[in-house]
Amino acid sequence: MASADEIQKQIEELQNKLDSLKKNARQKIDKMSSEVKDSNPYSRLMALQRMGIVKEYERIRTKSVAVVGVGGVGSVTADMLTRCGIGKLILFDYDKVELANMNRLFFTPDQAGLSKVDAAAKTLNFINPDVTILTNNYNITTVDSFTKFLDAIKTGGIDGQPVDLVLSCVDNFEARMAINAGCNELNLNWFESGVSENAVSGHIQFIKPGELACFGCAPPLVVAENIDEKTLKREGVCAASLPTTMGIVAGMLVQNTLKYLLNFGNVSNYLGYNALIDFFPRMDLRPNPQCDDSWCRQRQVEYQAKPKEEKETEVEEVQEVVHENNDWGIELISEDNNEEIKPNAPMASSGLKHAFEAPVASQQSNTIAPTVSDDVSLEELMEQMKSM
Amino acid sequence: MVDAGTKKTLQNIPLLQTRASPRDKDLWVQRLKEEYQALIKYVQNNKTSDSDWFRLESNKEGTRWFGKCWYVHNLLKYEFDVEFDIPVTYPTTAPEIALPELDGKTAKMYRGGKICLTEHFKPLWSRNVPKFGIAHAMALGLAPWLAVEIPDLIEKGIIEYKEKGETSNS
Ligand SMILES: [Zn+2]
């Protein structure tokens, strides 16, 4: 048993630690200042304005971004946006911090066991108390949670409007398709991001419903690593990860987010990263008129109906991109003929490939006829299954 | 790719017709009926061929599924709870089948005990939307996973045989 004196001493030590933590936290700042002094956390960001890179940098405080998935890419993404002084961040994840995550950036071992969103919010608030951070601890792919997710991004803007951008930092196809469905329906722009399971490539993809291919328009486009499938050992593990690849992909994601939100430079529609040869392929992806997602098709019709001028200004921007990219021998899709990438078209020259073959429209022959009889009720079927 | 046995199993499971997710109220009920019919047929097939290996049931909305699956190794039957939710993007995306009690015991799992599927599963599933249903996911996803992982886990002493009546939670 510890003596009363020892306990008293421990209390004092803890009190001192607590005081020093409080002292280190900074106060909120009402207005971003461009004054160059050690105590101004925004001076280097505001310098972007002085140098003519960004007009009115402080517009970033009026922007709200949803980050779905706060893992290796999402946590670093949220960290970067927080340091850039974003107005509001809405975090989504249903996972807990684990020691197995420590090969990635951001989280620390003492946070093991905490929910990722709560642990992240605490660190982010400490880094920059000016950012409003909301947390959502659920799996967006389930029916009930998906409704909550839609509400959160529909009303998550600074003024109750929809969020300015959704960033997908999830690690699975199901969640990406859920974000895709939600953003097509709500007509929200979003970025998809991904790192390959072998950790040596990644990509970001900008999705503007109706204008750029949605995530369901074709099988996912990924970086071709040219690793012989036979030499790729998948036995025994699901996925590898590196803090480097994740950090680079998060950097690509946030860089393009800043360019989009603050209107500077060219936003990449698709940017890949092949870590083995340090290659960054770029690409434009047009929507598939036969996309399975009915909201995607609807958004395509709306986009086509838009006044020409509005579209032309956007075309100009992209043409600049075409010029830049040709130096690297990357094939781009021409803007004028509005041709979409054929799901199985060879893309070897681009350094990209589809993750899997597109579904074939033809019927399969090896099937037995489905026996859908309307005279049985669902309850009867449930009962029959239960009694087997 | 898919082995001959699995292929034959798949061919004997009725294909589904209705493309509907739980968000599509009435159509979803139709899809659910097809799901149950395919599952009932699959379980009947298994019983006939003396390879019965799972039971499933769902909540009344058909959005959450749970049940048991088992694997026989050296004449001993190893049984596990199985569960999954139907994702909002179903049937475009397959359900993520989970065996929660094995979470953390094998690297071939994602968080929450979701099984790590082979690289062949997703392409095959996506080529067969909306014809593949839960029964196909079980045959193509969980059955091969159990066949590879369970003997390995038993050999490594990570899972042990339990007498009937014992709870499956360790
Ligand atoms: Zn689409």
Side-chain angles (χ1 to χ4, degrees), chain B residues 82-84 95-99 113-115 117 134 137-138 141-142:
Chain B
V82 51
E83 61 175 47
F84 54 87
E96 296 179 280
I97 300 169
L99 308 178
K114 289 174 180 171
I115 63 166
L117 296 162
I134 292 163
M138 293 293 278
L142 186 55

Side-chain angles (χ1 to χ4, degrees), chain A residues 158-175:
Chain A
I158 296 287
D159 46 4
Q161 295 289 302
V163 295
D164 294 284
L165 194 63
V166 177
L167 301 180
S168 166
C169 305
V170 299
D171 61 0
N172 65 89
F173 185 63
E174 293 73 21

Side-chain angles (χ1 to χ4, degrees), chain A residues 370-381:
Chain A
T371 50
V372 189
S373 43
D374 279 328
D375 44 334
V376 209
S377 76
L378 179 59
E379 288 70 26
E380 284 170 302
L381 288 167

Side-chain angles (χ1 to χ4, degrees), chain A residues 180 184 212-218 287-288 291-293 296-297 300:
Chain A
N180 190 58
N184 276 338
L212 296 169
C214 90
F215 191 69
C217 275
N288 175 0
C291 183
D292 281 344
D293 187 307
C296 173
R297 298 195 303 270
Q300 291 182 47

Side-chain angles (χ1 to χ4, degrees), chain B residues 23-39:
Chain B
R23 298 182 78 209
D24 305 311
K25 307 278 176 243
D26 293 344
L27 268 183
W28 175 242
V29 175
Q30 180 57 31
R31 171 86 192 184
L32 258 187
K33 285 168 75 172
E34 294 173 17
E35 293 283 0
Y36 267 102
Q37 280 164 330
L39 277 164

Side-chain angles (χ1 to χ4, degrees), chain A residues 150-384:
Chain A
L150 290 187
D151 278 348
I153 58 174
K154 199 160 56 183
T155 59
I158 296 287
D159 46 4
Q161 295 289 302
V163 295
D164 294 284
L165 194 63
V166 177
L167 301 180
S168 166
C169 305
V170 299
D171 61 0
N172 65 89
F173 185 63
E174 293 73 21
R176 288 186 175 96
M177 287 300 280
I179 296 167
N180 190 58
C183 288
N184 276 338
E185 191 172 321
L186 300 177
N187 207 3
L188 291 180
N189 293 344
W190 66 289
F191 272 97
E192 125 79 1
S193 74
V195 174
S196 64
E197 292 209 325
N198 63 11
V200 290
S201 71
H203 67 270
I204 61 166
Q205 181 180 346
F206 192 24
I207 294 166
K208 289 172 133 176
E211 183 181 343
L212 296 169
C214 90
F215 191 69
C217 275
L221 193 62
V222 295
V223 174
E225 289 147 1
N226 298 321
I227 298 174
D228 188 349
E229 281 290 329
K230 279 175 230 128
T231 64
L232 183 63
K233 302 219 180 343
R234 301 178 62 106
E235 300 310 310
V237 282
C238 283
S241 67
L242 279 170
T244 47
T245 310
M246 289 181 152
I248 287 164
V249 169
M252 283 162 38
L253 181 63
V254 177
Q255 198 77 285
N256 280 279
T257 296
L258 292 174
K259 288 192 285 183
Y260 171 71
L261 293 177
L262 300 175
N263 320 90
F264 66 98
N266 293 321
V267 178
S268 287
N269 292 338
Y270 186 101
L271 175 60
Y273 167 51
N274 180 334
L276 297 178
I277 54 170
D278 283 337
F279 176 51
F280 295 80
R282 286 172 83 191
M283 171 80 67
D284 284 343
L285 298 165
R286 296 292 135 208
N288 175 0
Q290 276 99 45
C291 183
D292 281 344
D293 187 307
S294 61
W295 278 111
C296 173
R297 298 195 303 270
Q298 163 82 20
R299 298 301 172 211
Q300 291 182 47
V301 171
E302 289 167 9
Y303 178 72
Q304 291 307 323
K306 262 192 187 174
K308 252 197 168 163
E309 302 149 32
E310 226 178 294
K311 279 194 275 182
E312 264 169 12
T313 53
E314 289 167 49
V315 169
E316 250 173 31
E317 276 176 36
V318 181
Q319 273 169 348
E320 240 175 281
V321 176
V322 174
H323 187 72
E324 261 173 47
N325 269 326
N326 283 344
D327 297 342
W328 300 91
I330 295 163
E331 261 180 13
L332 278 154
I333 301 307
S334 143
E335 278 291 311
D336 310 315
N337 57 17
N338 207 26
E339 179 190 5
E340 88 274 21
I341 287 188
K342 296 282 181 298
N344 291 319
M347 304 178 81
S349 63
S350 68
L352 302 170
K353 63 168 187 180
H354 285 289
F356 46 80
E357 247 177 80
V360 202
S362 66
Q363 288 294 314
Q364 284 193 327
S365 52
N366 62 344
T367 63
I368 57 171
T371 50
V372 189
S373 43
D374 279 328
D375 44 334
V376 209
S377 76
L378 179 59
E379 288 70 26
E380 284 170 302
L381 288 167
M382 284 178 165
E383 215 35 64
Q384 190 186 342

